[in-house]
Amino acid sequence: MNCRNIIFLDKAARRWDDGLPIGNGRIGAMVMGKVNEETIFINEETLWYGPKRNRRNPETKSNINKIRQLLQKGRVSEAAFLAKMSMTSTPKYNNPYQPAGDLRLCYMGNQTKYTKYRRELDIDHGIATVQYTMDGVTYIREHFVSERYHVLAIRLTSDGEKGLTLSANMSRKPFEENTGKIDDNTVGNWGINGVGGVSYFTGVRMTAKGGKVSTMGDFVYCEQAKEVYIYLSTKTDFAGNARYKEECMDNLDKAVRSGFSKMKKEHMEEYGELFNRTSLSLNHTSNDMSCESFPSELPTDQLLDSLKKGDQTYLDYLTLLLFNFAKYLMISSSYNCVLPANLQGIWNGSYEPPWQCEFTININEEMNYWFVEKCNLPECHMPLFDLLDRLVESGKVTAKEVYGCRGFCAHHNTNLWASTDIEGIFDASPFWVMGGAWLSLHLYEHYLFTQDEKFLKERALPVMREAIRFFEDYLYEDEDGYLLTGPSVSPENTYRSSAGEKGALSMSPTMDNMILRQLFTWYLEGSGIVGIDDEKDRKIIQNMLTKLPPTRISKDGHIMEWYQDYEECEPGHRHISHMYGLHPGNEIVEQKPELFEAARKTIEYRLSHGGGHTGWSKAWIACFFARLKDGDMVFNNLIEFLQNSVQGNLLDVHPPFQIDGNFGIVEAILEALIQSHGGYIDILPALPSKWKKGELRGVRLRGGMTADVVWEDSKLKECMVIPDKDQQVEFHYHDKVQTLKLKSGIASYIRM
């Protein structure tokens, strides 16, 4: 029975992104499950093409004021024409994230018809398995990536008398440089990924029971073995690691000494400690996927197909799979590693991937991490903070050389090298300096959930202050006395000006102001908490805060997206940037009814024109409705996400595959059940009417608390909260309010 957290498919993958993803943060693998000649796509997180580059346009500094003046005069086309030449980088784009290569397993004799095929990803334990029967013989392959040993481990078994005869080879077509034998049971693939790029090495080792292992050319192979074990380790010399090859070989040695079974046991224990911190059940479908709801076993893609046809029998099951799959993907792509999850997590099957498989920081990268603190995975947030630390250093150079400003800034994309320069040539995305400011808010969110004042003082506030320092020099005061950003864009939308010109470039779009308001406010709040009492500094920031343009409502009752009340050229656009203040920000709340209602109208208008047509955008819309306390609209968007925005293996599609939707939809589920952004705890604020009964356990809340929420007959049964420190907390449930004094480490129960 398909009763656990399992993605089950009854056929091999045809395309790369139909595979089953496994990973340990540093190494990713996509298991395709082919029978005769398997291909497992391998990734190493730091294997990007080419070197770090200076792409800054030397003409920007002398032209930026001209561009601002043109925009202020409404001469949009002239401003865009000048910006494209004087501001876009030279060259325009960052180089891509690339695969470490393809691990090919070739079987001798596996060419007849096979039956009982099963390809599954066990989300509970982080293991992918392929099983099938051919000529009466059952073949099983198990795969996982060990965090402790830094290897991909594969066990292949057969119950046939002839055993297993197969070879393994690692290739990087068309970027292959060197391949060959390393020792008697190890082959490798190594080279430099572009002139001046990182050097890489991948080693593949095979051991066997009941058969001999040899090498030939750049293949390692065995003949008639009862069991075969394959271990793969891959590394680069990023950050000056001169021992990358030796470390790979050491990893392989340790893996062989420990053995597959011991490694598997340790992997399940380590992974499970992270994965099991939170759990969710809905109606009669529990977190362990009780079998009573499932009269027969069906592959996951068939369950999705039935939902597309209107059958909601398995909807709760699929919802929980989505919830648990997101935790799995986060642990697998952003735990104890160098880099955070990128547009595709850590998985990439192309040497020219969509959008270079970068870290897109005008929404997608941030969306990846909205849910991590709530799911009690703060360790998974750390790689993002490590990248941000490097962005500060490179962003100081960009700020100085491009804009003549102090502090640091980052634009809408970054990469392995923490590039902060402008990227791209299309008007609607490159000219946006808010990436560093937005990312720095994640540091403060981490503090809010953990209450770690040492982290706040030593890590969060210094980064936030450097982001603010940039805007001290960058903001432009208009004739009305407002401080404006610009030239800027509202990612990645376009408008029609009062003169009839189509444009993207503008001064002070609403999202910019919302991000800055939150940055300035949180910095002032945080510096007060840790006792940073620089009165002059506080006055500077407070003055900037009061001079930011307010969030405005248009003549038709919507939140204005730009400083002027422009007409949208694409009213169903996937980006809904001016809703930042509703989510993930906390500016638009029900205590401000005019803005709250205008936000609802804005979202409904977007949806009526086809908005939410990409996976991540649909997830964001579900988050908006959670904040608007409309549970049934959260539910409806969740259904549409499952119907239109995931593949048979549950990976989100933009299209193509982007992992942000997988993460964003879980944020919406959590926000529907409990919220903590408004200065109080709101219990079941947007509970869908179809979720009659359920439990959310282990969820983290701002203020440093862990909570369990239980409901029956669509009503709160109990909320149990354990705080990390003594505090007084206000709890809301519908129109009821209860204030409790909580004691550190002691459970308190809220029943209203």
Side-chain angles (χ1 to χ4, degrees):
M1 297 291 289
N2 187 9
C3 306
R4 294 171 292 143
N5 289 300
I6 286 177
I7 294 174
F8 157 49
L9 299 160
D10 62 359
K11 53 186 171 296
R14 297 184 65 183
R15 302 190 318 268
W16 162 79
D17 54 3
D18 289 330
L20 298 177
I22 56 176
N24 71 342
R26 294 175 183 257
I27 299 172
M30 194 70 86
V31 178
M32 307 298 284
K34 296 179 181 179
V35 172
N36 180 46
E37 185 172 323
E38 168 68 309
T39 300
I40 300 175
F41 294 90
I42 306 297
N43 295 104
E44 199 280 341
E45 61 169 338
T46 62
L47 190 49
W48 294 62
Y49 185 82
K52 183 175 184 178
R53 297 179 294 164
N54 173 3
R55 300 184 299 107
R56 295 177 287 279
N57 190 329
E59 305 289 345
T60 304
K61 203 183 303 183
S62 61
N63 283 281
I64 193 165
N65 282 331
K66 296 177 188 176
I67 296 167
R68 286 173 169 170
Q69 290 164 13
L70 289 168
L71 289 171
Q72 291 289 85
K73 294 175 182 177
R75 293 156 65 178
V76 175
S77 296
E78 290 178 61
F81 184 75
L82 180 56
K84 187 166 290 189
M85 294 184 295
S86 66
M87 293 185 69
T88 55
S89 293
T90 55
K92 300 287 179 281
Y93 291 94
N94 288 321
N95 287 327
Y97 176 54
Q98 290 191 329
D102 309 337
L103 174 63
R104 294 184 179 273
L105 310 180
C106 301
Y107 294 81
M108 190 175 76
N110 275 27
Q111 296 180 351
T112 58
K113 187 176 180 180
Y114 57 90
T115 59
K116 299 179 182 178
Y117 182 91
R118 184 181 184 93
R119 180 167 58 105
E120 70 173 38
L121 179 62
D122 181 347
I123 297 171
D124 290 316
H125 301 110
I127 295 172
T129 304
V130 177
Q131 181 174 330
Y132 55 91
T133 299
M134 183 182 292
D135 296 330
V137 177
T138 298
Y139 298 87
I140 301 175
R141 305 178 212 149
E142 298 172 85
H143 319 69
F144 66 91
V145 185
S146 167
E147 192 279 324
R148 178 176 297 186
Y149 295 88
H150 299 296
V151 298
L152 164 64
I154 307 172
R155 175 165 59 189
L156 306 98
T157 62
S158 160
D159 63 6
E161 292 182 3
K162 294 182 179 180
L164 294 162
T165 297
L166 73 146
S167 67
N169 166 266
M170 188 74 184
S171 66
R172 280 198 90 228
K173 179 185 177 183
F175 286 83
E176 198 143 87
E177 290 195 24
N178 305 288
T179 65
K181 174 181 175 179
I182 306 299
D183 59 34
D184 289 343
N185 61 353
T186 310
V187 293
N189 184 304
W190 64 95
I192 300 174
N193 201 30
V195 176
V198 294
S199 296
Y200 61 89
F201 176 83
T202 302
V204 180
R205 181 170 296 176
M206 183 182 290
T207 65
K209 286 184 180 179
K212 182 181 178 182
V213 174
S214 305
T215 62
M216 186 176 296
D218 57 6
F219 289 84
V220 59
Y221 71 99
C222 67
E223 297 178 276
Q224 296 186 333
K226 189 69 176 177
E227 291 188 11
V228 177
Y229 305 96
I230 297 172
Y231 304 107
L232 179 149
S233 187
T234 180
K235 283 202 169 200
T236 77
D237 69 346
F238 175 69
N241 180 13
R243 295 193 70 256
Y244 65 101
K245 179 178 178 180
E246 289 82 359
E247 288 175 359
C248 281
M249 297 302 291
D250 289 345
N251 292 338
L252 295 174
D253 290 342
K254 292 173 185 176
V256 171
R257 284 197 300 268
S258 292
F260 186 92
S261 295
K262 182 174 184 288
M263 289 173 58
K264 179 181 175 182
K265 180 175 181 293
E266 292 170 347
H267 164 73
M268 291 192 297
E269 290 171 351
E270 292 162 1
Y271 166 79
E273 195 282 321
L274 296 165
F275 179 79
N276 293 320
R277 290 177 184 174
T278 54
S279 64
L280 175 66
S281 66
L282 295 174
N283 297 324
H284 298 291
T285 307
S286 65
N287 193 63
D288 63 357
M289 303 302 185
S290 172
C291 288
E292 54 191 56
S293 300
F294 304 97
S296 63
E297 185 179 70
L298 290 172
T300 305
D301 56 350
Q302 292 184 31
L303 298 180
L304 289 166
D305 287 342
S306 69
L307 181 63
K308 291 175 182 178
K309 295 173 183 175
D311 181 0
Q312 296 187 12
T313 303
Y314 305 107
L315 177 57
D316 292 338
Y317 176 77
L318 289 168
T319 299
L320 293 189
L321 269 183
L322 267 185
F323 179 85
N324 290 305
F325 190 39
K327 290 192 298 178
Y328 166 83
L329 291 170
M330 178 55 64
I331 296 166
S332 301
S333 64
S334 188
Y335 175 67
N336 198 21
C337 51
V338 174
L339 295 172
N342 61 40
L343 278 171
Q344 296 178 168
I346 193 175
W347 300 278
N348 171 29
S350 171
Y351 293 91
E352 297 182 58
W355 304 289
Q356 289 76 251
C357 205
E358 292 184 282
F359 308 98
T360 299
I361 56 177
N362 67 3
I363 173 63
N364 313 94
E365 188 66 19
E366 290 86 354
M367 180 179 283
N368 284 356
Y369 289 90
W370 287 344
F371 82 108
V372 291
E373 300 286 345
K374 294 169 188 172
C375 277
N376 200 5
L377 295 171
E379 301 95 331
C380 294
H381 223 161
M382 294 302 157
L384 182 65
F385 301 158
D386 293 340
L387 176 61
L388 182 53
D389 286 342
R390 294 194 291 121
L391 286 171
V392 171
E393 296 311 308
S394 56
K396 287 179 179 178
V397 179
T398 297
K400 181 179 180 181
E401 294 189 5
V402 176
Y403 298 106
C405 298
R406 298 168 300 148
F408 95 102
C409 69
H411 294 85
H412 87 293
N413 266 328
T414 188
N415 62 359
L416 169 68
W417 307 108
S419 170
T420 50
D421 297 335
I422 293 170
E423 185 186 35
I425 195 170
F426 300 105
D427 293 348
S429 54
F431 312 111
W432 189 75
V433 296
M434 305 304 299
W438 190 352
L439 284 177
S440 71
L441 295 172
H442 278 250
L443 295 164
Y444 200 80
E445 285 280 19
H446 178 74
Y447 159 72
L448 291 174
F449 280 93
T450 64
Q451 297 295 291
D452 184 344
E453 291 188 13
K454 184 175 186 290
F455 176 90
L456 175 63
K457 184 174 184 177
E458 296 180 3
R459 195 158 188 192
L461 291 176
V463 173
M464 295 169 73
R465 187 64 188 92
E466 289 300 323
I468 293 170
R469 188 165 285 113
F470 169 76
F471 290 100
E472 287 182 46
D473 296 343
Y474 175 80
L475 292 177
Y476 170 88
E477 188 166 350
D478 73 356
E479 58 187 16
D480 296 323
Y482 287 123
L483 292 176
L484 309 183
T485 61
S488 187
V489 296
S490 185
E492 298 171 6
N493 206 358
T494 55
Y495 63 85
R496 194 169 303 282
S497 73
S498 55
E501 291 185 307
K502 181 178 178 180
L505 210 60
S506 65
M507 296 297 293
S508 221
T510 297
M511 184 192 216
D512 290 10
N513 302 323
M514 288 175 166
I515 291 173
L516 289 181
R517 234 184 316 274
Q518 190 157 2
L519 175 63
F520 297 165
T521 300
W522 276 0
Y523 182 83
L524 292 170
E525 177 183 273
S527 60
I529 290 168
V530 299
I532 298 176
D533 297 319
D534 186 330
E535 188 62 29
K536 180 181 178 182
D537 205 42
R538 295 180 71 83
K539 283 184 177 179
I540 290 171
I541 298 170
Q542 187 64 51
N543 181 60
M544 293 166 64
L545 178 60
T546 58
K547 287 188 172 184
L548 291 174
T551 299
R552 296 164 169 165
I553 299 174
S554 68
K555 59 181 181 294
D556 53 8
H558 301 164
I559 300 292
M560 284 173 52
E561 185 164 0
W562 293 277
Y563 191 42
Q564 289 83 21
D565 194 2
Y566 291 136
E567 173 193 352
E568 293 180 81
C569 294
E570 193 180 337
H573 199 271
R574 63 193 178 278
H575 282 261
I576 317 177
S577 302
H578 48 318
M579 290 295 96
Y580 173 92
L582 179 64
H583 185 284
N586 58 6
E587 177 179 330
I588 301 175
V589 292
E590 60 183 336
Q591 288 80 9
K592 300 175 182 177
E594 289 187 5
L595 288 178
F596 204 64
E597 182 57 30
R600 178 183 292 276
K601 288 182 179 179
T602 303
I603 297 162
E604 290 172 348
Y605 177 79
R606 278 291 171 91
L607 287 174
S608 70
H609 289 82
H613 51 281
T614 67
W616 65 265
S617 182
K618 177 60 67 179
W620 200 8
I621 286 170
C623 292
F624 293 148
F625 279 114
R627 288 281 174 94
L628 290 170
K629 302 191 175 182
D630 191 333
D632 286 341
M633 284 303 293
V634 173
F635 184 81
N636 291 344
N637 280 277
L638 172 63
I639 291 176
E640 290 176 7
F641 181 85
L642 283 164
Q643 289 174 326
N644 305 316
S645 300
V646 296
Q647 302 175 146
N649 59 0
L650 285 187
L651 287 176
D652 166 59
V653 285
H654 180 279
F657 161 49
Q658 274 189 206
I659 206 167
D660 37 33
N662 286 107
F663 296 143
I665 199 67
V666 171
E667 167 74 356
I669 292 169
L670 292 167
E671 287 284 291
L673 299 178
I674 194 162
Q675 296 177 15
S676 60
H677 65 283
Y680 56 89
I681 308 303
D682 205 346
I683 307 168
L684 302 179
L687 181 67
S689 58
K690 293 291 183 70
W691 293 355
K692 301 292 184 183
K693 177 181 178 180
E695 298 179 4
L696 173 62
R697 297 193 180 274
V699 65
R700 291 287 294 176
L701 305 174
R702 295 174 182 87
M705 293 170 272
T706 303
D708 295 346
V709 183
V710 182
W711 68 96
E712 289 184 1
D713 297 324
S714 297
K715 297 177 182 177
L716 176 66
K717 181 180 180 182
E718 180 178 277
C719 178
M720 185 273 288
V721 179
I722 301 176
D724 299 340
K725 65 178 183 179
D726 293 353
Q727 56 184 301
Q728 182 169 293
V729 180
E730 188 177 290
F731 295 89
H732 291 209
Y733 173 62
H734 296 174
D735 58 350
K736 299 176 182 178
V737 179
Q738 187 176 126
T739 301
L740 296 178
K741 290 184 178 179
L742 307 180
K743 292 292 185 181
S744 175
I746 305 298
S748 294
Y749 294 86
I750 298 92
R751 302 180 180 94
M752 290 191 279

